[in-house]
């Protein structure tokens, strides 16, 4: 056993403490035998002028210098082993190894090695406490000299084994590693050698501990760097989410001062406040609304949506829907408010329009029933007028009256026919058909009118168009109606273009924004009817498909309403783009067979 005198911490600037060693009996006998053999052969352990204390201090100084070099732990340990095994006078072999204890276990792992074969490295790569010489030394915590080969290496160790030291590397009373150095036949174990190896082990303990602390510090720095990067990425991610929301967002403190806002909120509130961040919500929404928002965080229905009307100095008004959610810190304390904003002015308008259309639809149903009842009396009136006409020969006044009655009855019948087409459209007989076939049946019907008005008609159908799923007769009526409208808009000497293309994916997405009724999983053919006529204002375009709306002095205003209704019955859609003085374009979308 070995007893160490307490001497303070070791550092390159301090002398290492003197170590007093009590050598076990078997160790003393082995040393005595080797000393007697040395005297018989006239050999010396060290040169005649050797002074152990001075020589050992030089060795320790050199090892300290090596330990201060900026190397990785493995390289430092290997450099120290290379230096030790190259010392003259100690007769150390080049074969040496340093094991380190895996943290939280009783397992030695080979860290630095010299002079071991590949088979020896594999055999001794990991050693448990108590197993073999190194494991026994790690468990006991005392330096030992073994004259016999290690148990693990009995099968692979060279026959010329002359002993080896197993030196525990101890830090704060805990074994953190083991250094093993093999010796030659000329080596004599001695107190000074044991003292030197223990001092070196103390240095190694400091080196290993410093390296581990450096590694832990590096790990902490890396973890901190990663945490900072993650926080930055999370912040950017949160900001990108906030900015990508399709509704406005305001983040305020408890006093109602806006700390953060997204672009949508700034767009909604721009007519009412030039700056958002840093402003108080009382200055934006008014004191009463702001007080209600701040108080709402205490109410159970804080998330419920509420509405308010904002008026800008320019007179512009917007209907705003908002909801509030309290924000909390890590301890659960409320630190502010999140206000979600939506401009529902347009939605309110659309709802009103829908209500209007519903009313019109109801009126159409009622009027349809009335018209049905009117048709029979009209037929009787026409018959009697025709009878009067037949018996009014020679009476020009009666003849003219009867003819006027017949013309008005025919006009009413035509109006009723259009009205029935809108109110009660015929169920379409849809089937696959080529677009060119429908145009071939339609265009001859209006050729004469085009020639009389000197209007050029250009048809451009893309190659490889698939068949579309429609009722051919109904679609023919739609095309005829659109062409006649274009002729009326052009008046004379103009141009009408009809084109068709399969919608590509990017164009399909574009048109879906304009017409949400288009399905994502269907393929469409887009057909356009364009003219260079007078065009229409934006107000007229908004009402163009409403029943009974017309800008002409003649007509019922049901033509385009019937077009819209017919296309809807055929699972198709239509949009219009027009500018005054630049013409009008109708774009229709038809589902394909594929």
């Amino acid at each position: 056993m070995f007893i160490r005198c307490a001497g303070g911490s070791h550092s390159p600037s301090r002398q290492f403490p003197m170590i007093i060693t009590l050598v076990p009996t078997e160790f003393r006998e082995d040393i005595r035998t080797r000393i007697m053999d040395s005297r018989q052969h006239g050999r010396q352990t060290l040169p005649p002028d050797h002074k152990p204390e001075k020589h050992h201090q030089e060795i320790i100084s050199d090892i300290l210098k090596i330990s201060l070099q900026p190397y990785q732990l493995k390289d430092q340990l290997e450099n120290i082993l290379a230096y030790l095994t190259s010392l003259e006078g100690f007769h150390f072999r080049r074969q040496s190894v340093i094991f380190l204890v895996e943290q939280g276990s009783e397992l030695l792992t080979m860290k630095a090695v010299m002079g071991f074969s590949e088979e020896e490295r594999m055999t001794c790569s990991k050693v448990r406490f108590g197993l073999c010489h190194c494991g026994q030394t790690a468990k006991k915590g005392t330096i030992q000299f073994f004259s016999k080969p290690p148990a693990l290496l009995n099968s692979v160790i060279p026959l010329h084994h002359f002993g080896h030291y197993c030196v525990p590397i101890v830090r704060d009373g805990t074994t953190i590693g083991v250094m093993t150095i093999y010796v030659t036949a000329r080596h004599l174990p001695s107190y000074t050698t044991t003292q030197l190896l223990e001092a070196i082990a103390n240095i190694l303990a400091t080196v290993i501990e410093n390296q581990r602390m450096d590694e832990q510090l590096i790990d902490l720095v890396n973890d901190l760097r990663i945490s900072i990067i993650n926080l930055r990425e999370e912040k950017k991610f949160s900001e990108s989410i906030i900015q990508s929301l399709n509704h406005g967002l305001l983040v305020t403190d408890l006093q109602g001062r806006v700390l953060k806002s997204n672009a949508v909120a700034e767009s909604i509130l721009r007519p009412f406040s030039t700056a958002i961040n840093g402003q108080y919500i009382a200055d934006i929404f008014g004191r009463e609304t702001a007080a209600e928002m701040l108080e709402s965080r205490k109410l159970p229905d804080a998330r419920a949506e509420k509405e308010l009307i904002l008026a800008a100095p320019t007179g512009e008004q917007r209907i705003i829907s908002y909801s509030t959610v309290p924000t909390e810190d890590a301890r659960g304390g409320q630190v502010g408010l999140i206000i979600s904003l939506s401009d529902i002015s347009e939605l309110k308008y659309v709802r009103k329009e829908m209500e209007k259309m519903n009313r019109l639809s109801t009126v159409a149903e009622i009027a349809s029933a009335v018209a049905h009842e009117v048709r029979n009396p009209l037929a009787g009136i026409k018959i009697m007028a025709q009878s009067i006409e037949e018996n009014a020969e020679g009476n020009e006044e009666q003849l003219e009256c009867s003819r006027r009655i017949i013309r008005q009855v025919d006009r009413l019948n035509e109006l009723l026919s259009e009205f029935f087409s809108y109110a009660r459209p015929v169920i379409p007989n849809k089937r696959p058909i080529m677009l060119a076939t429908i145009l071939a049946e339609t265009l001859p019907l209006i050729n004469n009118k085009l020639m009389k008005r000197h209007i050029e008609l250009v048809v451009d159908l893309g190659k490889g168009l698939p068949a579309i799923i429609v009722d051919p007769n109904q679609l023919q009526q739609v095309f005829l109606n659109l062409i006649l409208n274009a002729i009326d808009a052009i008046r004379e000497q103009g141009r009408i273009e009809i084109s068709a293309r399969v919608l590509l994916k990017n164009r399909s997405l574009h048109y879906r924004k304009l017409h949400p009724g288009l399905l994502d999983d269907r393929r469409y053919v887009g057909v356009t009817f364009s003219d260079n006529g007078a065009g229409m204002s934006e107000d007229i375009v908004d009402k163009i498909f409403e029943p009974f709306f017309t800008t002409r002095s003649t007509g019922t205003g049901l033509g385009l309403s019937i077009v819209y209704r017919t296309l809807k019955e055929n699972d198709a859609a239509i949009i219009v783009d027009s500018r005054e003085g630049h013409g009008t374009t109708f774009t229709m979308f038809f589902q394909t067979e594929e």
Side-chain angles (χ1 to χ4, degrees):
M1 300 293 294
F2 298 86
I3 300 176
R4 301 178 186 171
C5 297
S9 60
H10 303 312
S11 66
S13 62
R14 293 190 176 184
Q15 296 287 331
F16 282 92
M18 187 61 70
I19 300 175
I20 300 176
T21 306
L22 299 181
V23 184
T25 304
E26 61 274 15
F27 206 167
R28 290 202 303 271
E29 292 297 330
D30 187 48
I31 294 173
R32 187 182 294 111
T33 302
R34 286 178 177 265
I35 292 173
M36 293 300 295
D37 291 342
S38 176
R39 288 175 178 173
Q40 290 175 3
H41 292 84
R43 292 181 295 180
Q44 292 179 320
T45 305
L46 296 172
D49 59 345
H50 175 68
K51 294 182 180 179
E53 293 81 3
K54 181 180 179 181
H55 185 55
H56 289 185
Q57 290 299 329
E58 291 175 355
I59 293 172
I60 290 172
S61 177
D62 291 341
I63 290 176
L64 285 172
K65 290 178 182 178
I66 296 173
S67 67
L68 294 176
Q69 295 298 318
Y71 293 126
Q72 295 292 329
L73 179 59
K74 182 177 181 296
D75 296 333
Q76 278 191 338
L77 297 180
E78 288 181 349
N79 289 340
I80 291 173
L81 288 179
Y83 173 77
L84 281 176
T85 55
S86 66
L87 289 173
E88 296 182 358
F90 290 95
H91 304 295
F92 294 145
R93 290 178 59 185
R94 299 290 291 177
Q95 193 176 22
S96 58
V97 62
I98 294 178
F99 296 92
L100 296 184
V101 178
E102 292 187 5
Q103 291 186 350
S105 70
E106 291 190 348
L107 183 67
L108 295 170
T109 300
M110 184 181 290
K111 185 68 176 180
V113 63
M114 294 190 62
F116 272 46
S117 65
E118 188 62 30
E119 187 176 5
E120 290 170 338
R121 288 171 183 259
M122 294 293 295
T123 303
C124 293
S125 61
K126 291 185 181 295
V127 180
R128 293 198 172 275
F129 278 29
L131 180 65
C132 199
H133 295 162
C134 297
Q136 294 170 12
T137 302
K139 191 169 185 179
K140 292 181 179 180
T142 57
I143 187 171
Q144 298 186 73
F145 181 86
F146 297 94
S147 58
K148 296 181 179 180
L152 288 177
L153 298 178
N154 272 333
S155 60
V156 298
I157 200 76
L159 294 177
H160 48 279
H161 176 267
F162 303 104
H164 60 278
Y165 288 95
C166 286
V167 187
I169 303 172
V170 180
R171 185 70 174 179
D172 297 330
T174 302
T175 301
I176 63 173
V178 173
M179 176 177 65
T180 301
I181 296 180
Y182 289 79
V183 298
T184 66
R186 299 177 59 190
H187 176 80
L188 288 177
S190 66
Y191 164 76
T192 55
T193 301
T194 302
Q195 183 184 24
L196 175 63
L197 292 177
E198 272 209 321
I200 293 172
N202 289 334
I203 296 175
L204 291 177
T206 303
V207 170
I208 294 168
E209 190 66 21
N210 288 341
Q211 282 276 5
R212 285 180 174 174
M213 290 178 64
D214 290 343
E215 291 175 359
Q216 290 175 357
L217 181 60
I218 292 172
D219 290 340
L220 287 173
V221 171
N222 289 335
D223 290 344
L224 181 60
R225 184 182 294 112
I226 293 172
S227 297
I228 293 173
I229 293 173
N230 289 338
L231 285 174
R232 287 176 180 172
E233 291 180 350
E234 186 174 349
K235 181 181 178 182
K236 288 182 179 179
F237 179 69
S238 299
E239 289 178 349
S240 64
I241 290 177
I242 291 173
Q243 294 299 331
S244 66
L245 293 174
N246 57 4
H247 58 271
L249 207 68
L250 300 178
V251 181
T252 75
D253 57 19
L254 291 175
Q255 287 71 42
R257 186 167 59 91
V258 178
L259 304 177
K260 188 181 291 292
S261 62
N262 66 353
V264 178
E266 293 172 2
S267 175
I268 293 173
L269 300 176
R270 187 173 294 118
F272 314 101
S273 180
T274 55
I276 304 299
N277 293 341
Q279 295 289 321
Y280 286 91
I281 58 176
D283 299 329
I284 302 173
F285 301 107
R287 293 186 180 277
E288 292 184 4
T289 302
E292 185 178 351
M293 288 179 175
L294 292 174
E295 288 296 322
S296 65
R297 69 180 187 271
K298 303 176 183 178
L299 302 176
D301 61 341
R303 295 175 183 267
E305 289 194 1
K306 301 179 181 179
E307 296 180 5
L308 62 92
I309 299 177
L310 292 181
T314 58
E316 179 183 357
Q317 285 189 344
R318 288 190 181 182
I319 304 173
I320 307 297
S321 172
Y322 73 90
S323 61
T324 59
V325 177
T327 56
E328 299 179 348
D329 56 20
R331 293 171 293 183
Q334 292 188 5
V335 294
L337 199 67
I338 296 177
I339 305 172
S340 177
L341 303 172
S342 296
D343 184 355
I344 59 172
S345 305
E346 186 174 352
L347 179 61
K348 287 284 187 179
Y349 171 78
V350 171
R351 286 178 179 173
K352 288 182 180 179
E353 291 298 309
M354 289 295 294
E355 292 173 0
K356 184 193 299 182
M357 294 301 293
N358 289 336
R359 289 195 300 270
L360 288 173
S361 177
T362 303
V363 171
E365 291 293 330
I366 296 172
S368 176
V370 173
H372 180 73
E373 298 299 326
V374 170
R375 237 180 182 178
N376 291 331
L378 282 178
I381 293 172
K382 184 174 182 179
I383 292 173
M384 286 187 290
Q386 289 173 341
S387 177
I388 293 172
E389 183 181 12
E390 290 174 359
N391 298 322
E393 293 182 4
N395 190 337
E396 291 296 330
E397 187 176 349
Q398 285 187 354
L399 189 62
E400 181 63 25
C401 286
S402 63
R403 288 175 180 172
R404 287 184 180 181
I405 292 172
I406 292 171
R407 284 197 300 269
Q408 293 301 320
V409 169
D410 289 340
R411 184 168 174 269
L412 284 173
N413 272 325
E414 184 180 349
L415 175 61
L416 290 174
S417 297
E418 289 186 9
F419 202 80
F420 276 120
S421 297
Y422 171 74
R424 295 181 180 178
V426 179
I427 298 175
N429 181 22
K430 293 182 287 187
R431 59 187 175 86
I433 188 169
M434 300 303 295
L435 184 64
T437 303
I438 299 174
L439 288 173
E441 295 290 333
T442 307
L443 298 182
L445 301 177
I446 45 89
N447 278 338
N448 289 335
K449 196 165 188 176
L450 291 171
M451 293 176 63
K452 288 180 181 179
R453 303 285 288 273
H454 304 288
I455 296 174
E456 179 186 6
L457 177 64
V458 179
V459 179
D460 178 19
L461 303 182
K463 294 182 179 179
L465 286 179
I468 58 177
I469 312 298
V470 292
D471 183 322
N473 294 326
Q474 292 186 359
L475 189 58
Q476 182 179 339
Q477 187 62 39
V478 167
F479 286 174
L480 187 61
N481 203 326
L482 291 176
I483 294 173
L484 291 175
N485 278 352
I487 292 173
D488 290 339
I490 293 173
R491 301 191 183 280
E492 289 185 0
Q493 293 185 346
R495 179 186 177 94
I496 298 174
E497 296 182 5
I498 299 175
S499 62
R501 296 289 186 274
V502 176
L503 289 189
L504 300 177
K505 187 174 182 181
N506 58 342
R507 297 301 298 169
S508 180
L509 292 174
H510 168 72
Y511 284 120
R512 283 194 185 97
K513 293 179 180 178
L514 301 177
H515 199 291
L518 298 180
L519 302 176
D520 293 340
D521 58 344
R522 298 305 299 266
R523 192 183 184 201
Y524 288 90
V525 169
V527 181
T528 61
F529 281 58
S530 300
D531 65 67
N532 60 351
M536 296 175 285
S537 66
E538 186 176 346
D539 293 338
I540 294 176
V541 170
D542 292 339
K543 301 177 182 178
I544 196 171
F545 294 118
E546 292 183 10
F548 308 111
F549 176 79
T550 180
T551 57
R552 294 183 294 181
S553 58
T554 60
T556 62
L558 290 172
L560 288 178
S561 299
I562 293 172
V563 166
Y564 186 90
R565 190 79 175 265
T566 302
L567 290 174
K568 185 176 181 181
E569 293 293 327
N570 283 268
D571 298 322
I574 185 171
I575 58 175
V576 59
D577 180 28
S578 182
R579 288 190 300 162
E580 286 188 285
H582 293 81
T584 301
T585 298
F586 288 92
T587 304
M588 292 162 284
F589 308 96
F590 300 98
Q591 295 184 12
T592 66
E593 186 179 14
E594 299 175 4

